[in-house]
Amino acid sequence: MEALIPVINKLQDVFNTVGADVMQLPQIVVVGTQSSGKSSVLESLVGRDILPRGTGIVTRRPLILQLVHIDTDDCRKTSEENGIDGEEWGKFLHTKNKIYTDFEEIRQEIEAETERISGNNKGISDEPIHLKIFSPHVVNLTLVDLPGITKVPVGDQPRDIEIQIRELILKYISNPNSIILAVTAANTDMATSEALKVAREVDTDGRRTLAVVTKLDLMDAGTDAMDILMGRVIPVKLGIIGVVNRSQLDINQKKLVGDAIRDEYAFLQRKYPSLANRNGTKYLARTLNRLLMHHIRDCLPELKTRINVLAAQYQSLLNSYGEPVDDKSATLLQLITKFAAEYCNTIEGTAKYIETAELCGGARICYIFHETFGRTLESVDPLGGLTTIDVLTAIRNATGPRPALFVPEVSFELLVKRQVKRLEEPSLRCVELVHEEMQRIIQHCSNYSTQELLRFPKLHDAIVEVVTSLLRKRLPVTNEMVHNLVAIELAYINTKHPDFADACGVMNNNIEEQRRNRMRDLPCAVPRDKSLKGPGGHYLSPTEPPAPEGEVAKAAAGCSQSASVSEQADGGTGNWRGMLRKGEEGTAGDRPLNPTPASPQRGHAVNLLDVPVPVSRKLSVREQRDCEVIERLIKSYFLIVRKNIQDSVPKAVMHFLVNHVKDCLQSELVGQLYKTVLLDDLLTESEDMAQRRNEAADMLKALQKASQVIAEIRETHLW
């Protein structure tokens, strides 16, 4: 069991060599307020004066102190091999292999190293100083001395010195494998202990907190620490140990630590005889050694798992950095081929790294086609931007100076082309969205799929430029094709389309049904045969079949002819009832909403252009029917064209843009980049890549050594 602490020290050495702080190794962290006696406790454990002393804040950098117990025989042998005069010595990590036998020199080196990083302005730094002490008079321990907790900045200290020290302390005691040594002076109220307060923040159940009460000899006369040491004031699970430190006078008079420990034992026997065997520096050292050994034993399984996980991560990281390039030609061709394959796989959905946060690649292109583009087309109103007045105006303009007997087909074509033209803008926007997604695939492949490209930033930039240029060249071609798809629909209005013919047939049946209903509603005094008399003197049968389906002019003629027949039957000049009904329609149906001014006086010239045109008026029955026919035909044909565009635009985009880029990408990259004159330039690594590769390799070696150390523990049955 005793050999576990040297194992942890060996692990600490392994990770110190690479300057890594990734492992949460078991250690004892000393926490306390400023001038509470933390440094004195550590010196008592070491048995030597090694720490800077003085007033105010003295410890301004974390000091990781490893105490290594060596037998007297081993100590003598090591001293002879290294030419060391003495049985105790120390080594700093930052001075490499230099050995210090003078502990006054060790203290001066700590002061110098502190000022080198933290400066002379009483500021602090979180960069630790590593010191290892070899002695036959110490127990195996790993301790961390931290700056004392302070509240008010002194001198030229930064204003947030309290926050800096607190964050530094929390950084070390948050390690779940650490033991917290909370130091509190006996001449202060235990309930106000800042050390216990900050320890409870990270160790709420107190399973890894040990309290140390210092300055027992400085308590007020008539008082003692009996209740505190017995845990009656504030209980601590791991216990409360009282110690007596050297006073500043003792330090100034160079009182030895060994003499101070003897005086401490005499004081405890005299003042606290019943607790003397459970307090004092020697008992504290044994307790810390025991707690650390048991803590290490409990932490080793988790530590082994963490080492294995980190080793796998660094191995993967080292693989991503790649090996130094030997054959540049083969490496360049391999990287180009891999990027082209990953780009195509991302589109096809077979990439190795699949995005889970958002749609990417081919899935997003599919979403653009069927969700974004499809819903946009469906939201386009077939009659949007087209009013009844526009339809009526188009009908009148298509007839010229002659009154129309039938609804002109030209008006339908004119209006339906205007509506179909509105489908071009969303179609071109669909091309733009797909183009943007294919640009995003480049970045996706660079970040996730081909991390080797990060080694060669110039090659990465060149590949991005080539792919971007290829996409840029295909964009006008694809836009032209989509524009032509809409132009094709505008070039020929196919009124013989089967779907359009079916719609016209349904519409004619509806119109015929409406005409029959009107005939059924005629007054009984008017003979039905006369009401069906046409302008040529022949009679139209109510059951006469409608015009053939699919012909816009004849379909419209059915409406106009029925209206004309009805008007001639009701308002013919040979029928007085018709004349009367025509007069009523003129007064009720065709009356302008805005009355025209009175006729000019006789004898004055009339300028027809000055006659105001009514802004709005009520449409006649025939005009309403004509407009309704045109609107139905426009809607029917627009839906057919929209269906065609919704199907053909994605196909055109896939053929002219997506598939073309997939097919030509690798050949384009090879043709543009695979050139002898570009090899050296393209395969130039970034400046920090070699450094990061070396750091990852060193860390991987350290983790492998740590794994071997833990394996030795299993073999020796120390675990």
Side-chain angles (χ1 to χ4, degrees), residues 9 38 65 114 132 193 200 212 216 246 258 356 394 417 444-445 463 483 489 562 582 600 646 712 718:
N9 290 340
K38 303 187 312 302
L65 179 62
T114 299
K132 184 180 290 188
S193 173
R200 283 191 174 181
V212 175
L216 291 176
R246 291 179 299 169
T356 58
K417 286 181 179 180
H444 173 81
C445 293
I463 288 178
H483 175 77
E489 297 291 345
S562 61
K582 185 174 182 181
Q646 190 171 354
E712 293 175 1
L718 294 175

Side-chain angles (χ1 to χ4, degrees), residues 193-208:
S193 173
E194 289 288 339
L196 290 176
K197 177 184 177 183
V198 72
R200 283 191 174 181
E201 291 183 13
V202 295
D203 183 30
T204 54
D205 53 1
R207 290 186 302 174
R208 54 188 183 92

Side-chain angles (χ1 to χ4, degrees), residues 53-91:
R53 306 301 292 265
T55 59
I57 182 170
V58 178
T59 305
R60 296 188 288 127
R61 288 180 59 184
L63 175 65
I64 299 179
L65 179 62
Q66 292 177 259
L67 303 182
V68 181
H69 176 79
I70 55 176
D71 296 333
T72 305
D73 296 338
D74 294 337
C75 177
R76 187 180 303 109
K77 182 180 178 180
T78 305
S79 300
E80 292 175 356
E81 292 176 353
N82 297 313
I84 301 173
D85 184 14
E87 60 180 6
E88 297 177 308
W89 66 89
K91 292 174 64 175

